[in-house]
Amino acid sequence: RRIFWPLTWIMTGGMLLQAALTTYLPLFMSDVLEVNLWLAAASLTILQAAGVVGALISGTVSDKYGRIRVLFIVLAVSPLLMLVFLYGPSWLAVPMLLALGLTVLSPQPVFLAIVQDQFPNNRALANGAYLAVNFLIRAGAIWVVGLLADRYGLHVAFLVSGLVAFVSLPALRYLPR
């Protein structure tokens, strides 16, 4: 209980942002930003490739500088990057996708490391429980972002997902050190 409640809070706050970007990004790029179809299709590849790099870096960096410190940085920076992506000039779209990929997708290895640190004798069970919670939150987040997009438009759905991501920051206080 000590670990999963704050972790669920953190994941719920950030999952709307992750769901918006990983599920609806090509549609957002073509319909809202009105980029050509090639760039709209490539946008998800750009985001995910940067996410792979971010995931590889975040685990190692969290081992050296602390898990909560790394989580704070990526959880605080990713919503700000989303706001720049939404309201910045169009030439910043691709650099923002790279930066968003580095930050939005990078907390996952840190979350797994935190879970495994807390359950040294039952790592497989703890990992399975974490993944189950993660999948459930992600499914709900995709549904919520889709509902927001249908009702208010993709731009508003992306904006709300970025703003809601800030809600995860206070939960870092409750993670075990």
Side-chain angles (χ1 to χ4, degrees):
R1 277 188 231 159
R2 194 177 83 186
I3 186 71
F4 278 104
W5 288 115
L7 213 51
T8 300
W9 177 359
I10 294 168
M11 287 188 296
T12 302
M15 195 58 77
L16 284 178
L17 181 57
Q18 187 178 359
L21 286 169
T22 59
T23 306
Y24 300 103
L25 182 62
L27 188 62
F28 178 84
M29 295 290 286
S30 66
D31 289 359
V32 177
L33 296 184
E34 298 177 348
V35 300
N36 65 35
L37 193 56
W38 183 88
L39 182 57
S43 64
L44 189 57
T45 302
I46 293 166
L47 179 86
Q48 293 286 3
V52 168
V53 173
L56 289 172
I57 292 170
S58 67
T60 305
V61 171
S62 75
D63 288 341
K64 186 172 183 175
Y65 296 107
R67 307 210 193 288
I68 295 173
R69 184 177 294 158
V70 169
L71 283 176
F72 178 79
I73 291 168
V74 297
L75 294 174
V77 169
S78 56
L80 296 173
L81 292 171
M82 181 63 143
L83 293 174
V84 173
F85 175 69
L86 291 174
Y87 294 108
S90 60
W91 61 269
L92 268 179
V94 172
M96 284 299 102
L97 286 176
L98 289 168
L100 281 165
L102 284 170
T103 57
V104 170
L105 303 175
S106 61
Q108 301 304 326
V110 182
F111 291 153
L112 279 170
I114 289 171
V115 168
Q116 291 183 359
D117 287 346
Q118 295 300 307
F119 298 93
N121 297 326
N122 297 308
R123 288 183 173 171
L125 177 64
N127 188 31
Y130 162 76
L131 289 175
V133 170
N134 191 10
F135 291 148
L136 289 172
I137 292 171
R138 182 169 175 74
I142 291 170
W143 182 80
V144 169
V145 172
L147 183 69
L148 287 170
D150 286 344
R151 183 156 297 201
Y152 303 107
L154 275 170
H155 191 273
V156 171
F158 272 55
L159 175 62
V160 168
S161 71
L163 295 175
V164 168
F166 284 116
V167 172
S168 62
L169 288 173
L172 292 173
R173 294 180 31 181
Y174 300 103
L175 285 176
R177 302 278 170 204

